[in-house]
Amino acid sequence: MQNTQSSPIGGWLEQYFGIRSSGSTIPREVRAGVTTFLTMSYILFVNPSTLGPAINVPNAFVQLLVTTAIAAAFGSLMMGLVARYPFAQAPGMGLNAYFAFSVVLGQKIPWQTALGAVFISGLLFVILSALGARQAVVKAIPSALKFAVTAGIGAFLAFIGLKNAGIIVANPATFVALGDLRSAPALVAILGLIVTAVLLSRGVVGAILIGIAASSVLAIITRAPVYAGGANGALQPFQGFGNGIVAAPIWPHDLVGALDIGGALGLGLLSVVFTFFFVDFFDATGTLTGLANKAGFMTPEGDMPRARRTFISDGLAAMFGAFMGTSTTTAYIESASGIEEGGRTGLTAVVVGLLFLLAIFLWPLAGAVPAAATAPALVLVGAMMLSSLARIEWDDYATTIPVFLTVISMPLTFSIANGVSFGVLSYVAIKALNGQAKQVHPLLYFVAALLLVRFIWLEG
């Protein structure tokens, strides 16, 4: 260990990222980066599948896969090298579905114009971040709601993990229901959950990463049908690496620079621009705040150190992703898995970014990790993030009711932005109506008004 730290490379990394002062080590940061990458690598295949129906170009899937990897690499490297936080970024789920099915396919807006709307929303992020507006919003949110955001993200993570494992499934009568626990994804995930939980309880270093690897190996050797790509969307056993684990990427020449900014500035598309802006503003702000709180970065005054460069990095990632040809790039809640693994500096995010670049050539290898193998990590990390609720004063209903609404609405609406919105709106309303209006930061009233505009005028 000492040799690693004292080597020229190790010394530069230590000096630039402040690894030792953060209570971490280079191996721990690397391990955390690998863990985060594995838990979010599904986006390499899910994002092209989601955007593909809306973006009709030759070899759309491969072009979108390369674009997704490059956008994720840029965003993660920005967050690691500039903001120096262990937060990874990639094209966001939810916003990609809104982009494809609501804007392009639903409203018949050209995908190039929709990319222009994403670019403009990213530009607005950068401007507001440079002016300090996003930092001011974070500071205006009371500590109790920040703890609630952390817990809500944990509940959201756990819900995603259970869904990916097939343990929770959709049901037309009850909305959600218990899945088939005898199915291959559920069995792989349950075994991985038990193994990872035991390793965590015994304090084994790299427990989450070991759990993901063990679950993946189990799925491969047992030929369990847990991999996407089967006929009619059915899961299938691992199909091997075909021509090997190295595949030459196809440069996304049909996507890069195809955005139409002028078209997106048309009056009829302002609602689309502002929907992208509002949703990602509170989604990314909530995610970054929750992750910072989980990692112990938030100051007692509620500030996030280096907040300006953090939020600017987030906005630049959205702009770059739009230029490359993908929907909004944003911070990923799966970064919590790397934080739980010990990642505390930007080196973790840099590792994630480099792995996404490597995935451009080794993307068949990333396909060996099924969603069922990463599901246990999401569930267990989510459970750990719920510990922030212990810091809430539960006797004050004016606070605890907004806290509850924040936590419960994130998984139930499948949106971090909705959770933050419900929490802020209910907090402002309750405080204002029970004679405690002066306890609310003035900026929070303005934010609440904007949220009402979003829900009333920009419902989609």
Side-chain angles (χ1 to χ4, degrees):
M1 185 71 67
Q2 183 65 32
N3 290 336
T4 301
Q5 296 283 4
S6 61
S7 66
I9 296 179
W12 179 84
L13 292 175
E14 164 59 36
Q15 182 179 5
Y16 187 81
F17 293 108
I19 296 173
R20 191 175 303 171
S21 62
S22 300
S24 186
T25 63
I26 292 178
R28 185 182 300 166
E29 295 293 308
V30 172
R31 187 173 65 245
V34 174
T35 300
T36 297
F37 172 77
L38 289 178
T39 58
M40 62 185 291
S41 61
Y42 65 86
I43 196 61
L44 287 169
F45 308 98
V46 175
N47 196 51
S49 299
T50 303
L51 296 180
I55 298 180
N56 186 19
V57 297
N59 296 311
F61 186 89
V62 179
Q63 287 201 59
L64 283 167
L65 186 149
V66 174
T67 284
T68 300
I70 294 175
F74 177 86
S76 299
L77 289 171
M78 283 289 295
M79 195 63 71
L81 294 173
V82 178
R84 303 186 190 181
Y85 277 130
F87 309 149
Q89 298 198 93
M93 294 297 297
L95 281 170
N96 57 3
Y98 172 74
F99 178 101
F101 299 108
S102 180
V103 177
V104 178
L105 297 178
Q107 301 181 41
K108 307 303 181 184
I109 294 173
W111 59 268
Q112 297 92 334
T113 305
L115 288 175
V118 173
F119 183 90
I120 295 171
S121 69
L123 179 61
L124 291 175
F125 294 152
V126 173
I127 294 173
L128 289 177
S129 299
L131 295 175
R134 293 180 76 176
Q135 302 89 297
V137 170
V138 171
K139 190 172 183 178
I141 297 175
S143 296
L145 285 186
K146 288 174 182 160
F147 298 144
V149 168
T150 302
I153 290 174
F156 193 15
L157 272 176
F159 186 84
I160 292 173
L162 293 172
K163 181 185 74 71
N164 290 348
I167 296 175
I168 289 178
V169 296
N171 185 288
T174 61
F175 296 105
V176 293
L178 183 67
D180 183 4
L181 299 184
R182 298 168 298 178
S183 67
L187 291 174
V188 169
I190 291 171
L191 182 60
L193 187 68
I194 294 173
V195 170
T196 307
V198 170
L199 293 175
L200 283 171
S201 65
R202 295 178 65 89
V204 175
V205 175
I208 296 176
L209 185 56
I210 293 173
I212 293 174
S215 300
S216 299
V217 170
L218 174 68
I220 292 173
I221 64 177
T222 61
R223 301 285 298 163
V226 296
Y227 293 87
N232 299 320
L235 296 175
Q236 61 183 354
F238 184 61
Q239 299 300 299
F241 295 114
N243 296 324
I245 64 174
V246 178
I250 296 179
W251 179 251
H253 57 274
D254 294 307
L255 303 177
V256 177
L259 71 171
D260 181 7
I261 299 176
L265 290 173
L267 182 62
L269 289 184
L270 287 182
S271 63
V272 174
V273 173
F274 281 106
T275 296
F276 278 124
F277 171 76
F278 273 124
V279 173
D280 193 46
F281 181 93
F282 290 100
D283 197 335
T285 302
T287 298
L288 291 170
T289 302
L291 292 173
N293 190 41
K294 168 65 178 175
F297 297 139
M298 300 296 287
T299 67
E301 294 77 24
D303 291 328
M304 180 193 301
R306 305 185 301 281
R308 189 183 303 270
R309 66 176 70 177
T310 300
F311 290 126
I312 288 177
S313 297
D314 176 64
L316 289 174
M319 294 174 64
F320 179 81
F323 175 79
M324 289 300 301
T326 184
S327 54
T328 308
T329 301
T330 187
Y332 257 57
I333 56 176
E334 284 84 353
S335 303
S337 62
I339 292 172
E340 188 60 39
E341 197 64 49
R344 288 296 182 272
T345 75
L347 181 57
T348 293
V350 169
V351 171
V352 175
L354 294 177
L355 287 175
F356 269 113
L357 288 178
L358 188 61
I360 296 175
F361 302 92
L362 299 177
W363 59 268
L365 185 61
V369 181
T374 59
L378 299 180
V379 173
L380 292 174
V381 170
M384 295 168 190
M385 295 184 73
L386 288 171
S387 64
S388 65
L389 292 178
R391 305 172 70 176
I392 304 293
E393 295 291 338
W394 290 99
D395 294 333
D396 180 8
Y397 292 119
T399 297
T400 57
I401 291 174
V403 164
F404 171 76
L405 291 175
T406 300
V407 174
I408 199 67
S409 58
M410 283 191 192
L412 294 187
T413 66
F414 220 74
S415 169
I416 295 172
N418 285 340
V420 176
S421 300
F422 292 162
V424 169
L425 285 170
S426 59
Y427 180 83
V428 169
I430 294 172
K431 288 288 188 180
L433 294 174
N434 71 356
Q436 298 177 313
K438 293 184 178 180
Q439 295 182 11
V440 180
H441 194 288
L443 180 58
L444 214 56
Y445 286 108
F446 176 71
V447 171
L450 290 178
L451 290 173
L452 282 177
V453 170
R454 177 212 161 194
F455 283 120
I456 295 172
W457 183 47
L458 302 173
E459 184 179 357

